[in-house]
Each structure stands twice: as structure tokens, then as C-alpha cells.
Amino acid sequence: MDKAFYISVILPLKLEWEPCYSLPSGTDACKVGIGDRVKVPFAGKVYSGVVSRTGVKPETEPSKIKSIISVEDGLEPVIPEELELWRQVAGYYLCTIGEVYKAAYPTGKINLEESRAAAVEKARRGREKLMESMRGKVARIEERLKKKLETADNAKEGTRTRIRSMEEAARIEKELAAAQEALVKAEAAYSKEIASSCRTSGQAGKGIPSIDIRLSATQERAYASIRDGFKDGKPVMLNGVTGSGKTEIYMKLAQEALSEGRNVLYLVPEIALSRQLEERLRAHFGDRLMTYHSGETAASRRDTAETIRSYKTSGDSYIVLGTRSSLFLPHHSLGLIIVDEEHDSSYKQDSPAPRYNGRDTALMLSVIQKCSIILGSATPSLEELYNCRYGKHRLVELRDRYHGSLESDIEIIDTKAERRKRGMQGSFSRKLIDHIQATLRKGGQVMILRSRRSWAPALQCEGCGEIPKCPHCNVSLSLHKSTQGGMMTCHYCDYRAVYTGGCGKCGEALKSLGAGTQRIEEEAAALFPEARIARLDSDTAQSKSFETRTIREFSKGEIDILIGTQMLSKGFDFCNLRLVAVISADALLGMQDFRADEKALQLLEQFRGRSGRRGEKGLFVIQTSQPEHPIYQRLKNNEASDFSDSLLLERETFNFPPYSRIIEICVKDRYSDRAERMAGRLGDMLRKRFGDALSGPYTPAVDKIADEYLRAIRISLKKDRWLVSGKNDILEIVQRFEKESRYPGHITLNVDPS
Ligand code: ADP
Ligand code: ZN
């Protein structure tokens, strides 16, 4: 009797353990290794899992252990570097490794992988059958030939039987030769086919790109300093103003990694906004460049993953431009990771688990891959400034713009004062209108920013004061106008109701509260009838082609005024953009969050960086009702770095991140009272352990989303040697609470909430 062989398997589920399975009797244990994909039964369903350990000693009664269904021959094994990253992410973000596996290998991707493997298998079987029948045919002819020759041998020389048999044998010999030739040909074709199916479709552009990147003297100094940082094995933070040539430096570093035969991962917060960057990289790196993000089809993402795998054997090198999910590709021999716009909060995944931050996960990956990593931004996050201040990362600065160093002028317009003087026309102040007209007259382009999309962010009844709300979320509905009338939509759950213009309660007319991008566009069209105007926000950018076209038209000068949301703060480069205006900066400052000032400053700095490129002085206009806010003085006096210093000091005093780590525990329940009760009980349990470090339970600003009521608890942990055990205690207490009160599935943990 052979001894049973046990393995543990990672399933794409929120499971705290990795279940144990045996192999079907007769399976060669040596054939199953860590990382292999296996089909297993679990709780009445079948899953595609990943072998995490082999030769394990089962903790349960061996007779109760189920056998795997099969080893998934066609699916590529997960490599050790991937598994290591999954473990670290799960450990850091307090989720299960299965949840990370699920994010790395979404079902769609696995299904495609499976169907491809199945198709290959089917074709193989078909071929084999055909070949078998051909072999059978050859054998049968051989048999016939043998018999004929025997008959001939047995007959006497010269007899008719003998002559006829010999003639027939000659004919059969010909037939045999033809059959054998066909078989040889088929076998050759088949083995060629197998060889090529092992390679994938990806074609690497061979050779090193020929275009030379020439750095300016300042860039060269920064570059040398970056290399020094890499030599010390430190992550480098490149703080460079917009237009200083950070991208140029990344490209040079990437090119070097590639020429050493190592691979490059270039991370961006959102791919939609990186079209210009993609074109620039494509021009330089050609076919070596691959993009990867959640907007791509599962098939295209699988192809990228397979191409990357195939490069391991072919020795070609690649550069992937992608969003955070590209961290989970089967990377091998990475030489460099670039984290562009590292401060951007889009790097953080809020839901579902793993609630990871792409920037911080990139740092983990760089350690696993033993590769260099560079983070870049014009407005570094406080986290990064902290890392540089305490010597964990190396700070490299680029203060000059490549095409000349003229900072744009800033003008703050007090909308309250303007309103009193009747200087406002809708959302535009008279002063802003004048600036826009002057810019257009000179042939310059204008960008207008408004942080709320829609026509009106909220509505209110003129009669009874009712504000239409989403039936599923505790938020007001926004009005989106269309040629057919309009829709009231919820920006949280996408609920939609037809807009009638009347109040659902009393029937009186609804008036709009505030103006969103759509309305600003309408106002601008009326104010500047000659101008060509376009809008870019997540409503219009639904279609990729529209967005690409808009950006392209704007950069070619075919659009005069571009109106949009935060989207426009990202790395576009428009050389004729002379005026950037923020319609209302109040919306940026009003947030009840300790990060509000940091984010507002970053956003305003980013907007400002858009205007006046290519040696031309631009103008940055901010409309606000709080002109006295310190943020504007800082901005005007170019004291952004002082401001960051004072923010850091504030964070230190109040023990906020980056001086501490926040873990947010959120209770979600269909019943408001149960959410309240459970959050209260969980809070008590956690408070026993964490005392004053805990705040809450509190009701978040939006306390109901998609029919679930929310209560939150925050625990802030010091960054000392008890940090890890503190985090694990939270996890342990939450799991115990879920079990004891039979309350699974309602609690989420978020490490470093944004
Ligand atoms: P950043 O990424 O810091 O915003 P970019 O790399 O996009 O800056 O540079 C801004 C502009 O200056 C781009 O149009 C770029 O082509 C140009 N530029 C910067 N450095 C160089 C260089 N060394 N040689 C040629 N052009 C450069
Ligand atoms: Zn809703």
C-alpha cells in the first residue's frame, strides 16, 4: 500500500486556512509541486486552487480528507515570487491569501485559461486519434504485404499464383510507402505544433531602442543621485515639478534595465489618463511595451500574463505600463519598478479585499524581486516625505522645468465678495470671464476644473424643502441632463430615476443646488459662444475613444476650452494651455478628514502645473469663498514644501499617519439598529485591548450605501515593534467576535484607509 500524500491548497475565498487534500490513488506525488493549480471540491462547489504546501501532515482524521479532483495540467503554475507577494499583502492588509489570489487571478481569467487549456487538449486528442488510425493503417498494410509475400514464397517458381502474388506485393509496397510517408509528415507537423503552442503570441521587439535620451545638466545630476540611491539599495523618491522631465528620467532608467536583460514595471494610478504616456513609451520601446489594467478584456490580460511567462524561457525583456493590479502579474527578473504620481489616492483599493495600496505593495514587490524602485511626484505624499526624512528612502529633487522655469501666476478670487458686488455670472466671476476672454483672444487654451460631475450635484424642492435622495444610499441624487430630459442618479450605487422637474412629495418645482461640470459647460457655451468647448469627466469618459479623441483634439489645439473634474489634474502635457481655473475650491477644503489639506494642496499644485508649459508663463485662477485659508498663501508664496513640513508636524503632534498606522473596522448591515448594536459590542471588545487608541464607533458621513448601514471604528497604532502584534490582535478579536456572535460577512478591515 502506498502512503497517502497530502497537500494544502489556496482557494479563491475569504478562508482563514488553507484546506488539506489528498491525491487520487495512483497519482505520482512528485508530479505535484507548490504553485501547481488543482481542481478541488469545497463546501459543495468546485474551485480552481493553488498548491501552497506539499507533503503536509494532516491535522484532521485522514479518512475525512477529500481527494483533489485533478491536477490542472493546462494551467500555468503560480511562481514562488507571486506566492510570496500574496502572503505579504495578506499579512499587511489583514485579509486572507485566498482574497489576494482571487484578485490576482479573477474568475474570468481562470476560465479563459481553462478553456484555452481544454481546447489545446481537445486538439491534442484529435491529433492523436488520427495518428493512431494512420499507424493502424500502416500496420494493416504491412500485414497484407507479409501475407502476400508468404503466399508467393510458398508457391512454386514460375507458377501463376507466384507471379500474381509478386505483382500484388509490389502494389501493396507502394501503398505502404505512401501511408508511411503520410504518417511521418503528420508526426512532424504535430511536433512542430506542440513546440509552437508552448510559445505564445507575444513578439518581443528585439534589440535595444535606438533613440537616445539626452538629459539636461540638472536632470543628469538628479539621475546620478538616483543611481547612487539604487546602489545603496534604497527606494528613491523623485520630487520634481511638472514638466521637469521625470518621465524622461524614468525612460532612461527603464532602458538601462532592459538592456541588462531585466524587466520593468511602470505603475500609474489610472490608465485612462495615461494615454499620452503610453504613446510616448510606445514610440520608444515599441513592442516590448505591454499595458495592463482592469479595463482590458480578460483575454487580453491573460495574453499579457502568458507573454510575460514565455519571456522567462525566451530571455526577452518587457516593460509593463499598468495600474495596481499589474503588480500581480507573474513577474520575473524585474530590474526596476516606477511608481508614477505616487501621491495619488487612486492607488488605494477600497473594495473589495485586498484593500491594498499599489505604491506600498510595489515597495514589497521590489524587496521580493530585489530590484530598484523609484517613486515620483510633483507633490509627494506625506508618507513619502516621512520616509525620506527618516532616511528610509532617498530624496532626489528636480526644481526646474525643462522648457524654462516660469511658474504660473496665481490669482485668488473671493466669490463671496464678488457676489456682493454683483460680479458673479452664474458660476463664473466677472474677473475670470475677462481672463478667459483675454486668453482666447491671444489664441491660448483654457482648462476649467470643477470637482463635481453632473448638471447639479443635488436638488431641492422650492415648496417643501425636500432633497431627493437615493432609496438605497444616504446621499442626494445628482441631476444629469440629456436630450430626452434628464436622470437623477446616485453616484454611489448608480440608482437612476427619471427627472420630471417636480418634487416627488409635494409636486412643486425642484431647484438645483450647486453646479456640476455639465452645467459649467452650458454656462461656458453661453458666455463664450465662439469658443470650441469640450468636457471630460467620468460620464463623458465612459468611452475610451471619446476620451482619447478629446485629449488629442485639445493637444492639437482643436478645442479652446476643456472642462472637467480631477481627471484633468493628471499628467497631460498641453503646450498651448495658458489658463487653468478652479470654479470652486471650497469643495476641496470642506472635507472632514485629516488628509483633506494634504489632498487639496496636492490637487491645486497639480492643476497649477498644467498651465504655462514650454517656457510660457501661465495663469492659475482659483475661485473660493474662503480666500483667507492658509493653503492659498502657501500656494502663492511657493511654500508648498513648508506647508508639507507643517502638516507633518501636525501629524506628529496628533499621532496621525505617517507617524502611526490606522486600521479602520467597518460594520455593514441591512438593519440600522443591528449595525449600531454590533458595532457597539465589537467596539467594547476592541477597547479592552486598545483603550484610547480606539475611536468610535461612529457614523460615517455617508452612512448607508447600497442598502447597507455603516458604522466605523478606527484604531491608530504606533509604528513601533508592537505594531504587527497589534494588527494581528485586531484581526484575532474581529474573527472571534464574528464567530461568537455568528456575524460573519459583515465586518471589513481596512489598513491605511485613504
Ligand atoms: P514630467 O514627467 O516631470 O512632468 P516630462 O518628462 O513630461 O516631465 O517633460 C516635460 C516636457 O519636457 C516633455 O515634453 C519632454 O519631452 C520634455 N523634456 C524633458 N526632459 C527632456 C530631455 N532631456 N530631452 C528632451 N525633452 C525633454
Ligand atoms: Zn444609491
Side-chain angles (χ1 to χ4, degrees), residues 459-472:
L459 298 163
Q460 187 170 28
C461 173
E462 297 197 302
C464 67
E466 170 82 0
I467 293 176
K469 278 192 171 173
C470 173
H472 309 289

Side-chain angles (χ1 to χ4, degrees), residues 213-216 219 240-250 280 398 402-403 573 613-614:
I213 298 172
R214 271 174 222 277
L215 299 181
S216 69
Q219 289 172 344
V241 296
T242 319
S244 57
K246 295 187 291 299
T247 312
E248 214 75 19
I249 290 182
Y250 301 151
R280 212 163 142 190
L398 265 180
Y402 181 76
H403 291 287
D573 182 8
R613 311 196 76 171
R614 302 275 150 95

Side-chain angles (χ1 to χ4, degrees), residues 178-226:
Q180 277 171 334
E181 197 188 308
L183 176 63
V184 168
K185 262 194 192 152
E187 274 174 340
Y190 181 41
S191 62
K192 214 165 138 193
E193 211 170 89
I194 292 174
S196 75
S197 78
C198 293
R199 266 181 283 120
T200 49
S201 53
Q203 319 148 327
K206 297 239 163 63
I208 305 306
S210 52
I211 314 160
D212 207 20
I213 298 172
R214 271 174 222 277
L215 299 181
S216 69
T218 7
Q219 289 172 344
E220 199 63 61
R221 272 196 299 280
Y223 177 76
S225 179
I226 293 167

Side-chain angles (χ1 to χ4, degrees), residues 470-473 475 477 490-495 706:
C470 173
H472 309 289
C473 311
V475 293
L477 293 172
C490 170
H491 287 181
Y492 281 78
C493 73
D494 220 26
Y495 167 85

Side-chain angles (χ1 to χ4, degrees), residues 272 535-547 567:
R535 172 164 58 99
L536 203 57
D537 54 29
S538 52
D539 293 325
T540 66
Q542 292 275 314
S543 101
K544 224 158 81 176
S545 57
F546 177 86
E547 179 189 315
M567 274 185 134

Side-chain angles (χ1 to χ4, degrees), residues 553-571:
E553 284 174 1
F554 193 63
S555 59
K556 278 199 285 186
E558 291 164 9
I559 293 169
D560 302 309
I561 303 179
L562 184 60
I563 295 160
T565 50
Q566 262 84 329
M567 274 185 134
L568 296 180
S569 73
K570 320 271 159 135

